[in-house]
Amino acid sequence: MDDIVADEALSPRQLRECPGCGLLQAIPPMERGMTAKCARCPTTLHKTATYPLDHSIALTFAALVLLIVTCSTTLMGVQTSGIMISANLFSGPLELAERQMPELGLVVIFVTAIAPFVKLAGTLYVLVRLREANPPTHLRRVFALAEWLRPWSMVEVFVFGVFVAYVKLGDLVTITLEHGVFALLALTFMMIWSDSALDREEVWERLGGAAAATRRASPRRIPADALACEICGFVTAPTADGRCPRCGTRLHPRKPNSLSRTWALVIAAAVMYIPANYFPVLTVMQLGAGAPSTILGGVEELLASRMYPLAALVFFASIAVPMLKLVGLTTMLITVQTGQTAWLRDRTRLYHIVRWIGRWSMIDIFMEALLGALVKFGNAITIEPGIGAVAFCAVVILTMLAAETFDPRLMWDSAGAAEARRAGSRPAATPALTA
Ligand SMILES: [Zn+2]
Ligand SMILES: [Zn+2]
């Protein structure tokens, strides 16, 4: 590949390697509220914020306050035979721990409270300290951690879990929504808003002032062996210490051992998929009668009680999404290894869908945790989460990790190599600059 030579000095903000296809490209200077798409695949390269960075401080602070309110108030109350039981964010995980499923409780508490809190508090800390004249270097590590936690913070998925639990219980007992639910809805709205309003490139640029200055020494020429940082997106010539000059992350041309790691995670998820569907995820006992039900059984019960939209939601989240992820990841792996050249744009889109959709499977787990915490009325009625839920949760986490480990640029690399072999020439790397 040729060196990239631009007419004007390139700022780090302008130079990008597409994380979806690996194409190195310069994007023109952008106004506020603009989006840059890759010239070759359906990946979004950069989105500038509509408002200045201080706007994000207010939004992140509001979200953090709402998270604290949500954590300290009651979400739902259930009443039957004169007894009242209420649940907050922590009741489900505590109940799971009491029922010998502490690992499941830990996952639920991590994705609904710990990850969102660390992400919000970390981002707020970085944004506030960025206002200083010389921001300290440890901010880079804090922001990298907050960014890494993004897929694991699942407040909006939890909202759907609460909704499914509410509708499902309405049939069996008297259920009331408490203040916590409204705080949770406001928190979800605020988290989505603050997430989309934050210009991460602007934060990284301000965090890595020295690195940007190094680039200015050779502003118009970027070598062909340039590497892009996986965390902050900075494009640089290979460095002496092998680390990103802007955020300090180790640089790799492609994610290390991506294929073998992804295969291992996909196979492990496929194995766990069997107990996840075979063992019960929920047991409802009413007046001493009742039977354990599996994931598919749960959907059938919802259909039998004519809750069609809810049945469709649970079917989508618990059966369709895990299947789509397993089949999608396997397809992507095989097409890389066989050097397929067709459907490259669609396969890249599939990768983005698989990565985005993974977290939504947690709806069922959240619902089971809440039901278990809310419905324990001795002989009258009890709901117990089953061991199948642990296996199902493992499937969700393993497929999410697999999607993070897979490198979609490999699909374009192997297709490029196959094309080159067919043309009888030496394999070419990614095409040169399009601006
Ligand atoms: Zn691309
Ligand atoms: Zn970096």
Side-chain angles (χ1 to χ4, degrees):
M1 185 170 78
D2 301 326
D3 289 6
I4 288 181
V5 182
D7 299 335
E8 293 162 37
L10 289 165
S11 78
R13 186 178 261 268
Q14 283 172 268
L15 198 70
R16 286 304 156 103
E17 191 200 78
C18 172
C21 72
L23 180 67
L24 201 58
Q25 50 206 301
I27 47 179
M30 290 162 71
E31 301 279 315
R32 289 206 173 273
M34 284 172 87
T35 305
K37 290 257 182 197
C38 174
R40 189 166 71 166
C41 80
T43 306
T44 300
L45 291 179
H46 183 40
K47 222 170 152 176
T48 52
T50 320
Y51 300 101
L53 223 46
D54 287 355
H55 187 83
S56 287
I57 297 184
L59 293 177
T60 313
F61 179 71
L64 191 61
V65 170
L66 283 167
L67 177 64
I68 294 166
V69 173
T70 308
C71 284
S72 49
T73 46
T74 313
L75 290 172
M76 284 196 274
V78 160
Q79 199 172 6
T80 197
S81 25
I83 315 166
M84 175 87 180
I85 296 180
S86 57
N88 59 23
L89 206 65
F90 304 102
S91 312
L94 287 174
E95 185 63 26
L96 288 169
E98 266 171 41
R99 294 188 200 249
Q100 315 301 324
M101 287 189 259
E103 58 287 88
L104 199 58
L106 205 66
V107 172
V108 174
I109 201 86
F110 182 78
V111 298
T112 55
I114 298 172
F117 181 81
V118 176
K119 187 190 106 154
L120 288 172
T123 309
L124 184 64
Y125 175 72
V126 170
L127 290 176
V128 169
R129 296 217 55 186
L130 261 187
R131 295 169 61 90
E132 293 173 13
N134 283 314
T137 48
H138 75 264
L139 291 186
R140 308 192 303 188
R141 240 167 295 147
V142 177
F143 194 58
L145 173 71
E147 285 293 281
W148 181 83
L149 281 172
R150 262 170 86 196
W152 302 101
S153 149
M154 303 189 189
V155 173
E156 70 278 29
V157 184
F158 185 66
V159 170
F160 280 85
V162 171
F163 170 71
V164 176
Y166 177 72
V167 178
K168 207 166 167 159
L169 274 187
D171 235 21
L172 298 169
V173 286
T174 317
I175 181 162
T176 46
L177 292 178
E178 305 284 339
H179 303 314
V181 166
F182 303 105
L184 179 68
L185 286 174
L187 167 67
T188 309
F189 173 71
M190 200 50 87
M191 281 192 85
I192 293 170
W193 189 5
S194 68
D195 238 9
S196 63
L198 182 65
D199 189 339
R200 296 175 168 82
E201 180 59 31
E202 196 175 338
V203 176
W204 282 122
E205 205 166 90
R206 288 219 224 161
L207 284 173
T214 323
R215 167 73 63 70
R216 271 178 220 119
S218 164
R220 289 174 54 183
R221 182 171 289 272
I222 302 298
D225 60 349
L227 297 172
C229 173
E230 271 165 43
I231 299 290
C232 75
F234 188 72
V235 176
T236 173
T239 51
D241 61 351
R243 290 185 179 275
C244 169
R246 189 159 73 169
C247 74
T249 309
R250 195 162 277 288
L251 293 165
H252 308 280
R254 294 291 179 259
K255 292 180 188 172
N257 303 324
S258 171
L259 290 182
S260 43
R261 282 188 191 183
T262 313
W263 266 123
L265 289 162
V266 168
I267 291 167
V271 170
M272 292 309 278
Y273 193 69
I274 300 165
N277 281 282
Y278 179 77
F279 289 112
V281 289
L282 212 59
T283 308
V284 182
M285 295 293 284
Q286 208 165 2
L287 299 169
S293 64
T294 57
I295 295 174
L296 199 60
V299 177
E300 281 168 5
E301 278 164 26
L302 287 171
L303 282 176
S305 23
R306 296 176 174 277
M307 295 188 217
Y308 300 119
L310 204 62
L313 178 69
V314 175
F315 178 83
F316 170 78
S318 308
I319 294 166
V321 169
M323 277 311 273
L324 173 79
K325 286 194 292 181
L326 286 174
V327 174
L329 284 161
T330 310
T331 311
M332 288 187 280
L333 285 165
I334 291 172
T335 53
V336 169
Q337 289 179 320
T338 53
Q340 283 294 322
T341 52
W343 309 98
L344 272 171
R345 284 176 60 86
D346 298 282
R347 278 190 275 147
T348 311
R349 193 172 287 125
L350 175 68
Y351 165 76
H352 290 304
I353 292 172
V354 164
R355 204 167 160 220
W356 177 81
I357 217 169
R359 56 225 307 277
W360 291 95
S361 300
M362 287 296 280
I363 291 177
D364 227 42
I365 302 285
F366 294 150
M367 183 264 290
E368 283 142 24
L370 273 170
L371 292 188
L374 278 166
V375 189
K376 35 182 182 178
F377 298 100
N379 290 332
I381 177 165
T382 48
I383 297 185
E384 260 189 60
I387 195 73
V390 179
F392 184 72
C393 188
V395 173
V396 179
I397 292 175
L398 287 167
T399 46
M400 278 182 74
L401 287 172
E404 294 297 321
T405 315
F406 182 73
D407 195 332
R409 294 171 292 183
L410 295 175
M411 296 191 286
W412 294 79
D413 292 350
S414 76
E419 287 280 1
R421 267 200 306 278
R422 217 165 295 160
S425 65
R426 284 181 31 170
T430 44
L433 168 77
T434 54

